[in-house]
Amino acid sequence: MIWNGVLIMYNKVAEFIKDRIDMQPVIGLILGSGLGEISRTIENPVYINYKDIPGFIDTTVEGHLGRFVIGKCSSKYIIVMQGRFHFYEGYEMEQVVLPVRAMKRLGVETLIVTNSAGGVNPSFSPGDLMVIQDHINMTGVNPLRGRNKDDLGPRFPDMTYAYDQGLRELAFDKAEEMGIGLQQGIYAMMPGPSYETPAEIAMLRRLGADAVGMSTVPEVIAAVHAGMKVLGISCITNMAAGILDKPLSHEEVVETASKAAECITRLLLNVIQDL
Ligand code: HPA
């Protein structure tokens, strides 16, 4: 049964990775669609394909590779997830957060998460980067549901400071030094995989969301549960449904993300340097 499998799996996955590296990553990075560029800057990279890890599942989405890249980046040891597991692919929330828990077991203390998101705040434009200040979980499910993993964290973790203020300030400082603009706002996770209706986007706006996507929230909940510091950055790849009078397409999302990839990569390199 998945339930028991995942319970013990994060330790096994961590052991599998540990056996293949001779360093201890302290920073974990999860990259969204088309945002994988930073992996190319890693010195002496070790690649571990998800499909080679017992119990892991390969990702299916276009623009997502399925592997860990581990090595040195801005003089820090990091582990990068190139491609993540999405709830809309049919995985259980526990499966979606398995890599985050394995990272914790490897010794990762800081998790940086990037994603592609639709702009709900009408003052945003495609190509903008948004530091996630907080999130709204619209999926109705939670990765911590079920028996608590006491070895990872508490039954009722506090989510008041889920997105670390110091890390957010660091991102803004670095963006200013680099002369790039940065937005800040609330990320709402919808289950997907259909994009939202204009009525749903109008609802999310009223609820206080600035951006909408189909990822990130489960991983952040698991990271906070396990006592990790989190920085989240959304790439606004399109305006959400109904904000503009035109349809949404996955191609547009991937194209805008790949255009923004260089900028987000430079920002992350600068942030990682100061961690
Ligand atoms: N909605 C949901 N997820 C997304 C979007 C969107 O508009 N753009 C990129 N990911």
Side-chain angles (χ1 to χ4, degrees):
M1 214 173 121
I2 288 166
W3 189 253
N4 291 321
V6 174
L7 254 176
I8 48 163
M9 211 28 120
Y10 48 86
N11 292 321
K12 286 198 174 157
V13 170
E15 288 305 320
F16 185 91
I17 296 171
K18 231 179 231 167
D19 288 347
R20 282 154 185 83
I21 56 177
D22 56 5
M23 69 202 105
Q24 212 228 269
V26 289
I27 300 161
L29 185 51
I30 302 180
L31 299 171
S33 331
L35 299 170
E37 189 146 315
I38 197 168
S39 323
R40 286 198 222 131
T41 68
I42 291 176
E43 296 163 40
N44 303 322
V46 174
Y47 297 100
I48 301 178
N49 292 322
Y50 299 157
K51 65 176 164 48
D52 297 331
I53 305 175
F56 242 70
I57 309 126
D58 220 354
T59 53
T60 56
V61 188
E62 195 190 322
H64 286 265
L65 282 166
R67 65 185 184 186
F68 285 110
V69 190
I70 307 133
K72 216 172 188 185
C73 175
S74 287
S75 74
K76 304 278 161 42
Y77 289 118
I78 75 168
I79 174 163
V80 181
M81 269 189 96
Q82 242 184 326
R84 58 150 63 95
F85 303 106
H86 297 88
F87 184 57
Y88 65 73
E89 290 173 279
Y91 302 124
E92 299 299 328
M93 281 288 186
E94 278 222 278
Q95 293 178 292
V96 173
V97 303
L98 169 63
V100 173
R101 291 174 160 170
M103 283 181 184
K104 173 68 184 180
R105 280 282 168 268
L106 281 172
V108 167
E109 291 157 3
T110 303
L111 183 70
I112 303 176
V113 199
T114 67
N115 60 43
S116 294
V120 176
N121 185 328
S123 74
F124 288 180
S125 303
D128 281 358
L129 299 182
M130 182 191 90
V131 171
I132 304 177
Q133 182 185 341
D134 202 348
H135 73 223
I136 302 174
N137 180 2
M138 296 296 292
T139 66
V141 276
N142 190 299
L144 307 183
R145 182 169 177 267
R147 205 165 75 203
N148 186 49
K149 314 308 181 265
D150 294 330
D151 59 326
L152 287 172
R155 169 76 294 186
F156 300 108
D158 177 34
M159 295 294 291
T160 311
Y161 307 106
Y163 297 84
D164 186 79
Q165 187 167 355
L167 292 178
R168 285 188 278 132
E169 282 169 8
L170 178 61
F172 274 95
D173 289 348
K174 293 295 168 185
E176 196 178 345
E177 272 171 40
M178 293 166 61
I180 63 165
L182 214 48
Q183 308 279 8
Q184 181 159 223
I186 310 299
Y187 176 89
M189 178 185 175
M190 293 290 270
S194 56
Y195 287 117
E196 300 70 35
T197 62
E200 286 165 343
I201 294 302
M203 171 192 75
L204 292 176
R205 184 72 196 132
R206 284 192 202 103
L207 293 179
D210 296 290
V212 59
M214 305 174 195
S215 68
T216 302
V217 165
E219 293 104 315
V220 171
I221 293 172
V224 171
H225 175 245
M228 295 156 99
K229 279 191 185 179
V230 175
L231 174 67
I233 298 180
S234 293
C235 173
I236 306 299
T237 50
N238 57 284
M239 293 315 287
I243 303 247
L244 305 175
D245 188 15
K246 65 172 198 158
L248 270 57
S249 78
H250 182 61
E251 290 69 36
E252 181 195 4
V253 168
V254 173
E255 195 185 314
T256 314
S258 67
K259 278 189 200 148
E262 200 215 309
C263 189
I264 202 165
T265 296
R266 283 193 296 125
L267 177 64
L268 291 179
L269 288 174
N270 282 319
V271 166
I272 290 167
Q273 197 161 36
D274 276 23
L275 284 180

